[in-house]
Amino acid sequence: MSQPETFAFQAELAQLMGLIINTFYSNKDVFLRELVSNASDALDKIRYESLTDPSKLDSEKDLFIRIKADKENKVLEIRDSGIGMTKADLVNNLGTIARSGTKAFMEQLTSGGGDISMIGQFGVGFYAAYLVAETVQVVTKHNDDEQYLWESAAGGTFTIKRDTEGEQIGRGTVIRLFMKEDQLEYLEEAKIKEIIKKHSEFIGYPIQLVVTKEVEKEVEDEEAAEDDADKKEDEAKIEEIDEDEEAADKAKKTKKVKETTTEIEELNKTKPIWTRNPEDITNEEYAAFYKSISNDWEDHLAVKHFSVEGQLEFRAILFIPRRAPFDMFEQKKKRNNIKLYVRRVFIMDNCEELIPEWLSFVKGIVDSEDLPLNISRETLQQNKILKVIRKNLVKKVIDMFTEIAEDKENFNKLYEAFAKNIKLGVHEDSQNRAKLAEFLRYHSTKSGEEMTSLKDYVTRMPESQKDIYYISGESKAAVENAPFLEALKKRGYEVLYLVDPIDEYAVQQLKEYDGKKLVSVTKEGLELDDTEEEKKLQEEEKAAFEPLCKEIKSILGDKVEKVTISHRIVDSPCVLVTGQYGWSANMERIMRAQALRDSSMSAYMASKKTMEINPRNSIVKSLKAKFDADASDKTVKDLTQLLFETSLLASGFSLDDPAIFAKRIHRMIKLGLSIDDDAADADVAAPVAEDDLPPLEEVDTSASRMEEVD
């Protein structure tokens, strides 16, 4: 019997093991993942060697990982038929020579920025065994050396001796964990199966679990046989025995007993679908895999299965679901649904760096050959490999969109479910903005019930039209009869309806498409292709109406920045347009609806309004006639206020004081019905004077702050 040799752990390793033993870390499952990953690496090495020398496998033909739980002795055993270790390997790899990452890992752990689960990244995953074990034994046999036994209770030293007494394993390694009293749950079959399914289901070698099962067996019942013999003696006088009865008696002489047997059960029968050739995989297999990773009851809408090779190697399968999850944009929700594997070992399913937020609905897996196993979140953020993977994933998803767009029915399903995501992508992803613009769909003045793409819009543009026109609002019904569209409709120009709140954000970034600017018809600076005659007429009207414009400005004061003649309206008397760079009326509405908005932002983002009046409208003409006849006519002032308030509503703004506006309308209704205000009405409506129309003094700007954007 060989005597054990004692070695001291290298100082940093001893310190590391002390940290691990005393750590209070809730997720101790990582120990099994690390040991299984190490076993897989050892199998990779022997398989690689056997490619050039097949005789290397003679000592053990089968390549496997086998887990055995001995509840009686509180021992968990993980065996592999991998390359094994020589005595020198044992000394170097498990004790005296610390890996380069040991110190870095300890620094992260002690500073609080680290996490035990990233232990494998630093090449010291083996020591995670001490999370659950008091003592660890390693039995190992390399083709070039004897079988050795390494043992340590992590007390600063370890022993190595030749193993001549134990079971000879042929080749490979057996790790025995003598479990801590409070970690015995890891000896339960269900717990082991759960960890393997979560972390190691797609390891390329069979992971076997030795399971105990109770089976029923029929054995001869000796007690029944003795009773039967006594009975026969008592009934010896009876000569005739019914043959059937005798057969029944014989049958009763056996009984069922339960026996405990051990069987080997393979835990990872599901082979990683992404490692197979896409041409060999059926739609049904993709659908089954999609449902298993997404818990969706429906089949996927589209799938992309691809691999990237060269400087960087990874495989991926991406799925687009048929419907959007109801909680897609909730803040506390998991940001993405891509599972990250490294060499078929599951790492995490919440890696935010893997795919942008606007693609959070895409489900699937990525399996990288280049990322370090069990990489930490801190390192992920700086990892260049991950940035390349992310870029590739986004590119492939956009390719999927393009393929889906070829089938109108499927694209309608996609757009109905994920239009907001595509628009969020336009807003956030500057690199892919132009590509994503191809997938935008809007209703327009010419599209009817169907939605139109920007590409189709451009093909329908008349030669005289230089820009793409759009109007934003709360709903299609709210914008399709807006006064802003009158002149454009008359010229045959198409206008897009942007009625989704996120459109306002997207269009701020998407400033042009196919070399044509996107122009809002509700903002100032709208340039239409006017003829020389039209321009001349506009100049004449501007001169003629200048005094009225000045008077309206003085009546409305700060409510409007300026009053001008309009060429964008045909039938309506006036509209309110906003500045080119501030919020539109619709954006102002959206921002006011934000529950947690910063009200100080509204002060400088809300646009000053410009009132544009239509010189060809009969109301404006009559107003001009009244003003020309008597510049101090109170009716002019009050009608101006009423025109301003109605144009506020027609232009998509809201009233600050609807009650005053209602009083004006009621007064107009009374006029229309020729009702005179009697004394009773005067009491109710006090303090409004009994003129035909309420004078401005009663409802001046201090009393009726109809619209003042804060």
Side-chain angles (χ1 to χ4, degrees), residues 667 669-671 673-682 690-692:
R667 184 66 54 156
I669 293 168
K670 284 181 179 179
L671 274 174
L673 295 172
S674 303
I675 298 172
D676 290 328
D677 283 345
D678 54 21
D681 281 346
E690 293 187 14
D691 293 333
D692 279 348

Side-chain angles (χ1 to χ4, degrees), residues 273 275-283 285-286 305-306:
I273 191 172
T275 60
R276 292 163 56 190
N277 187 336
E279 292 170 10
D280 300 336
I281 304 172
T282 63
N283 260 338
E285 286 178 292
Y286 278 130
H305 182 180
F306 62 96

Side-chain angles (χ1 to χ4, degrees), residues 39 42-43 64-66 78-84 171-174:
L43 289 161
F64 61 84
I65 299 166
R66 188 173 295 154
I78 297 105
R79 176 180 175 181
D80 67 72
S81 58
I83 196 163
R171 186 194 68 245
T173 302
V174 179

Side-chain angles (χ1 to χ4, degrees), residues 242-254:
D242 186 353
E243 286 180 11
D244 291 342
E245 207 174 299
E246 194 176 328
D249 284 347
K250 282 180 183 174
K252 286 176 188 171
K253 288 174 191 175
T254 60

Side-chain angles (χ1 to χ4, degrees), residues 335-545:
R335 286 294 177 90
N336 77 60
N337 291 287
I338 306 287
K339 293 178 188 291
L340 176 63
Y341 286 78
V342 173
R343 295 185 288 286
R344 289 164 298 290
V345 178
F346 172 71
I347 302 301
M348 62 178 81
D349 57 2
N350 57 348
C351 175
E352 292 179 15
E353 274 65 43
L354 206 53
I355 204 158
E357 188 186 355
W358 64 273
L359 286 177
S360 61
F361 64 92
V362 177
K363 299 180 180 350
I365 70 97
V366 171
D367 186 4
S368 167
E369 296 290 328
D370 302 282
L371 282 169
L373 190 64
N374 206 340
I375 187 165
S376 72
R377 283 186 185 80
E378 290 82 3
T379 322
L380 275 172
Q381 287 166 2
Q382 285 103 38
N383 198 292
K384 288 178 183 172
I385 297 171
L386 212 70
K387 286 174 183 163
V388 178
I389 293 176
R390 177 187 173 115
K391 191 177 176 182
N392 273 281
L393 294 186
V394 174
K395 181 175 175 285
K396 293 295 181 183
V397 173
I398 292 172
D399 289 348
M400 283 166 87
F401 289 167
T402 307
E403 288 164 18
I404 296 170
E406 291 169 10
D407 182 331
K408 192 175 180 183
E409 189 183 336
N410 274 344
F411 187 78
N412 287 345
K413 285 178 190 171
L414 172 79
Y415 200 74
E416 189 180 337
F418 305 114
K420 280 186 170 63
N421 298 75
I422 294 171
K423 290 168 184 175
L424 186 61
V426 169
H427 180 256
E428 292 182 349
D429 193 336
S430 55
Q431 281 185 309
N432 295 296
R433 191 168 289 145
K435 289 178 186 172
L436 289 172
E438 298 286 348
F439 306 116
L440 296 174
R441 300 288 184 271
Y442 299 109
H443 287 289
S444 77
T445 49
K446 291 184 179 178
S447 70
E449 291 304 308
E450 294 286 317
M451 296 178 98
T452 183
S453 65
L454 293 174
K455 188 177 181 180
D456 291 344
Y457 177 101
V458 170
T459 58
R460 289 195 293 267
M461 280 171 59
E463 280 186 33
S464 58
Q465 187 180 340
K466 301 288 185 287
D467 301 319
I468 296 171
Y469 298 111
Y470 70 88
I471 181 170
S472 56
E474 193 169 359
S475 65
K476 186 183 171 190
V479 296
E480 59 189 352
N481 294 313
F484 300 102
L485 306 178
E486 291 169 0
L488 293 153
K489 281 181 179 176
K490 190 177 178 183
R491 290 167 186 261
Y493 292 173
E494 188 173 1
V495 182
L496 299 170
Y497 301 150
L498 275 59
V499 293
D500 191 340
I502 200 167
D503 287 330
E504 282 282 1
Y505 297 91
V507 83
Q508 285 171 16
Q509 303 298 330
L510 186 71
K511 294 186 167 54
E512 61 172 51
Y513 173 82
D514 196 17
K516 294 171 175 58
K517 280 198 287 184
L518 270 74
V519 175
S520 171
V521 300
T522 65
K523 292 189 173 185
E524 64 182 0
L526 180 70
E527 292 178 9
L528 298 175
D529 198 26
D530 297 322
T531 62
E532 287 302 317
E533 284 182 21
E534 286 171 331
K535 285 178 183 174
K536 189 179 176 185
L537 182 63
Q538 284 168 17
E539 288 300 320
E540 289 172 3
E541 287 170 342
K542 188 176 178 182
F545 279 81

